[in-house]
């Protein structure tokens, strides 16, 4: 699917909503709602009015890592973005170049054997590209103390050029985030869940809406190349699988909070349509041709219209809904990116 959308620079959310004015909380963002071809404008605080008892929200519990670390490659300054931990202990990393404004720009990866000096006496050696698609991400071997400890002591959240300033790691954690036992997590925030507050969760539960936690550790996105997603580590627990199956059997709607939640739960559905506990790596790319087998709706952020995100949206909502939603978001001057507004896609019939 191709969608010719240019997001004006002034529509990029440069700071979190709670920093835009006194008394604002995370749930003060706006929410575009699509039901088929129909588009309506709401605030996120109205979400409980748009869901009903028996509906199920699938949420990603992956915690965001302080995944950017300064280093040196020879005499050149670099910023290492730690993306994903492999089963063999290596990490997939992206080397970036400081741009002088506190953010980074793309640089050539490799070659194999390139050494990077990191703080605390830690060394990193690039070994091989992550895949044959390109040389942006590399598998790297890290010497010295473990990477989770390195990130805790010297890391900061990955930040892109449209943001105004550095933010504390807490600004990039969702209310659902749980630290993992091995210290891994997401290189970038599962941002669709950012507007949720504890108060909002309590109100939804009091209205009979349930939550099914899953985990998918997101790697570093490609802001420049718009590559399809790489394999990512995920887990769908037994209890969450049962909740999904029960909601579907009872006529409730399964609404994924974020494309990461879609990828996780759709990776755990069998040929018979039932969701079962599953953990490991998923290389699933949800497209209109593949379709969705579990998810009825989706809450997602507003992001640059790159291919894999659009294909997943089209698989859930249909092409017309995606085109009208993006058009309405631009016309309504919604804010984009991880600190911006959100888009709720529901089935065509009203609740």
């Amino acid at each position: 699917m191709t969608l010719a959308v240019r997001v004006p620079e002034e529509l990029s959310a440069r700071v979190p909503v709670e920093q835009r004015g006194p008394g604002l909380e995370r749930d003060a963002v706006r929410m575009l709602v699509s039901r088929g071809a129909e588009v309506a404008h709401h605030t996120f605080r109205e979400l409980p009015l748009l869901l009903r008892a028996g509906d199920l929200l699938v949420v990603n519990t992956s915690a965001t890592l302080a995944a950017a670390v300064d280093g040196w490659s020879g005499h050149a300054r670099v910023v290492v973005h730690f993306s994903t931990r492999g089963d063999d202990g290596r990490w997939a990393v992206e080397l970036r170049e400081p741009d002088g404004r506190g953010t980074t720009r793309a640089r050539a990866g490799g070659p194999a054997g390139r050494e990077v000096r990191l703080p605390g006496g830690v060394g990193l050696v690039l070994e091989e590209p992550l895949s044959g698609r390109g040389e942006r991400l590399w598998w790297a071997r890290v010497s010295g103390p473990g990477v989770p400890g390195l990130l805790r002591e010297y890391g900061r959240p990955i930040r892109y050029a449209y943001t105004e300033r550095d933010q504390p790691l807490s600004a990039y954690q969702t209310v659902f985030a749980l630290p993992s036992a091995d210290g891994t997590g997401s290189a970038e925030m599962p941002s669709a869940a950012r507007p949720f507050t504890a108060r909002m969760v309590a109100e939804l539960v009091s209205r009979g809406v349930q939550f099914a936690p899953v985990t998918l550790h997101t790697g570093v996105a490609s802001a420049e190349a718009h590559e399809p997603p790489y394999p990512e580590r995920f887990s769908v627990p037994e209890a969450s699988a049962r909740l999904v199956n029960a909601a579907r059997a009872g006529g409730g709607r399964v609404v994924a909070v974020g494309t990461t939640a879609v990828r996780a739960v759709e990776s755990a559905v069998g040929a018979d349509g039932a969701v079962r506990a599953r953990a490991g790596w998923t290389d699933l790319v949800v497209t209109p041709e593949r379709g969705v087998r579990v998810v009825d709706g989706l809450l997602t952020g507003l992001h640059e219209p790159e291919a894999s995100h659009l294909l997943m949206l089209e698989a859930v909502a249909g092409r017309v809904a995606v085109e009208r939603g993006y058009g309405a978001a631009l016309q309504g001057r919604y804010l984009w990116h991880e600190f911006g507004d959100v888009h709720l896609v529901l089935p065509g019939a009203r609740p």
Side-chain angles (χ1 to χ4, degrees), residues 11-90:
L11 295 187
S12 293
R14 299 178 63 78
V15 296
V17 62
E18 59 271 25
Q19 297 177 17
R20 293 181 210 143
L24 295 179
E25 296 186 37
R26 288 185 175 211
D27 59 5
V29 296
R30 299 168 69 196
M31 181 170 65
L32 187 75
V33 179
S34 293
R35 296 185 186 88
E38 178 188 343
V39 177
H41 302 278
H42 294 268
T43 66
F44 184 76
R45 287 175 179 164
E46 296 175 272
L47 179 65
L49 304 177
L50 298 168
L51 300 177
R52 61 193 181 205
D55 286 345
L56 180 72
L57 293 172
V58 181
V59 297
N60 187 0
T61 64
S62 180
T64 308
L65 300 174
V69 180
D70 292 323
W72 291 87
S73 177
H75 296 292
R77 286 186 59 209
V78 296
V79 178
V80 179
H81 286 178
F82 285 85
S83 182
T84 305
R85 183 181 65 81
D87 292 334
D88 59 1
R90 296 186 299 174

Side-chain angles (χ1 to χ4, degrees), residues 190-267:
S191 57
R194 192 183 190 279
F196 282 90
T197 61
R199 180 184 60 199
M200 169 71 76
V201 172
E203 181 177 355
L204 287 164
V205 170
S206 74
R207 289 172 174 265
V209 176
Q210 293 185 295
F211 290 82
V214 299
T215 302
L216 186 137
H217 296 317
T218 63
V220 176
S222 169
E224 293 88 11
H226 300 316
E227 301 158 337
Y230 288 92
E232 293 169 317
R233 193 186 298 271
F234 83 107
S235 171
V236 176
E238 175 66 33
S240 295
R242 290 181 180 178
L243 283 168
V244 172
N245 294 331
R248 298 178 71 209
R253 297 171 299 182
V254 177
V255 179
V257 178
T259 57
T260 61
V262 176
R263 196 181 200 196
V265 75
E266 291 285 337
S267 297

Side-chain angles (χ1 to χ4, degrees), residues 58 244-245 247-249 252-256 261-276 278 284-297 312 315-317:
V58 181
V244 172
N245 294 331
R248 298 178 71 209
R253 297 171 299 182
V254 177
V255 179
V262 176
R263 196 181 200 196
V265 75
E266 291 285 337
S267 297
V269 62
D272 59 356
V275 175
R276 295 177 176 85
R278 191 175 168 202
L284 176 66
V285 179
V286 177
T287 65
E289 292 72 29
R290 188 267 186 192
V292 286
R293 302 170 187 170
V294 181
V295 171
D296 302 302
M312 183 180 287
V316 176

